[in-house]
Amino acid sequence: VIMVDLNPEACAKGKATIEKSLSRFVRKEKMTQEQADEVAARVTTSSELEALAAADFVVEAIIENEAIKRDLFAKLDSICRPDVILASNTSSISITRIAAATHRPEQVVGMHFMNPVPIMKLVEIIRGIATSDATFETTCELAERLGKVISGSKDYPGFIVNRILMPMINEAFYALYEGIGTAEDIDSGMKYGTNQPMGPLTLADFIGLDTCLAIMRVLHDGLGDTKYRPCPLLVQYVDAGWYGRKSGRGVYNYAEG
């Protein structure tokens, strides 16, 4: 595995996160220390995109911004071998439009891993309008080799999971915005009333409020229905830099852990 980030510090942080995750599996006796060391040794890092010239399959997982993704895919198209599949981990952006930035649209596919990836089983695989059968089947085979469960989706805004999930999170923000209940009340009601592992506002903080807002805007712009209008409170939190766990403050305050 070649892990690339333009920021060398991010590469080091990513490698450390992988090793921490592996050590957790060792503690839970799901793998031996020798196996964990072997896995960690197979991961190399680079701050140069050109390192991906050696890749057989590429998965992009950068910021949820279409223009930046299209620019990256155009660069990957010129770096990677002609037979290499380029996959995007986007949670909502059109695979068709990303693919159009390359000269290999038939080899571009969506490969949306649910977060946290080491624990969640699902991978949503999205076919753009030009994605070939061979590309789709190869991507499915890779996901299965990783021990994942596959959900296939057509290329429409939000795909399947976020088309259903994000309006629920957005509605939870409206409930908070309108004072129907406290954040704790809303989360407790949904967690225990619908048997979810966490409430929608806690989940939003975990995902990142900026990501939730970006997806709601993709749904609203792409489908043109007012029911997808982002809640003003969600917009305000993002404007304030309250992105959730990653920034230390979202719906809840994580500054003190």
Side-chain angles (χ1 to χ4, degrees), residues 2-242:
I2 307 167
M3 181 170 61
V4 176
D5 193 288
L6 299 183
N7 181 355
E9 292 180 3
C11 286
K13 183 179 178 181
K15 190 80 185 285
T17 299
I18 291 169
E19 290 169 355
K20 183 179 178 180
S21 180
L22 290 168
S23 67
R24 193 177 298 120
F25 285 129
V26 172
R27 286 199 307 272
K28 293 182 177 181
E29 298 184 349
K30 293 186 176 181
M31 64 170 58
T32 66
Q33 186 61 55
E34 291 75 17
Q35 289 172 322
D37 293 342
E38 184 182 343
V39 171
R42 289 202 295 265
V43 180
T44 60
T45 64
S46 176
S47 58
E48 301 292 334
L49 275 179
E50 286 70 21
L52 295 173
D56 297 314
F57 191 105
V58 177
V59 181
E60 162 274 317
I62 65 169
I63 187 171
E64 193 72 351
N65 178 293
E66 182 178 331
I68 297 174
K69 285 186 188 292
R70 282 173 55 88
D71 179 66
L72 176 60
F73 270 73
K75 291 174 181 175
L76 291 172
D77 188 38
S78 65
I79 292 170
C80 298
R81 296 193 316 271
D83 61 307
V84 171
I85 292 172
L86 306 179
S88 175
N89 187 49
T90 178
S91 52
S92 63
I93 295 170
S94 169
I95 300 302
T96 299
R97 291 203 297 269
I98 292 173
T102 75
H103 294 95
R104 63 177 88 189
E106 69 285 349
Q107 288 161 240
V108 176
V109 67
M111 197 176 190
H112 179 209
F113 290 82
M114 300 298 126
N115 195 30
V117 181
I119 297 170
M120 297 290 279
K121 297 285 285 185
L122 186 71
V123 174
E124 197 172 30
I125 299 179
I126 304 100
R127 297 183 68 144
I129 196 169
T131 305
S132 69
D133 290 343
T135 294
F136 180 77
E137 289 162 7
T138 299
T139 306
C140 288
E141 288 170 8
L142 175 58
E144 287 170 348
R145 284 177 58 193
L146 296 174
K148 298 296 185 179
V149 174
I150 296 163
S151 173
S153 174
K154 292 184 178 179
D155 187 22
Y156 289 102
F159 316 132
I160 293 173
V161 174
N162 281 323
R163 175 78 174 265
I164 297 168
L165 174 63
M166 285 301 154
M168 181 190 75
I169 287 175
N170 196 51
E171 199 62 31
F173 268 93
Y174 269 112
L176 183 63
Y177 177 58
E178 294 168 9
I180 295 173
T182 65
E184 292 82 1
D185 289 333
I186 294 163
D187 274 349
S188 293
M190 292 302 293
K191 179 178 178 179
Y192 297 107
T194 61
N195 199 29
Q196 297 182 31
M198 66 181 77
L201 298 174
T202 299
L203 178 59
D205 273 357
F206 182 81
I207 294 168
L209 303 192
D210 52 336
T211 300
C212 293
L213 178 57
I215 295 169
M216 285 308 302
R217 284 175 167 158
V218 167
L219 289 170
H220 191 227
D221 294 344
L223 298 168
D225 194 319
T226 56
K227 72 180 181 181
Y228 298 114
R229 182 172 69 95
C231 176
L233 185 62
L234 172 59
V235 175
Q236 191 174 45
Y237 278 23
V238 173
D239 285 346
W242 296 359

Side-chain angles (χ1 to χ4, degrees), residues 205 209 237 241-255:
D205 273 357
L209 303 192
Y237 278 23
W242 296 359
Y243 299 152
R245 283 182 176 271
K246 61 186 174 185
S247 68
R249 175 68 190 268
V251 177
Y252 299 99
N253 192 335
Y254 304 92

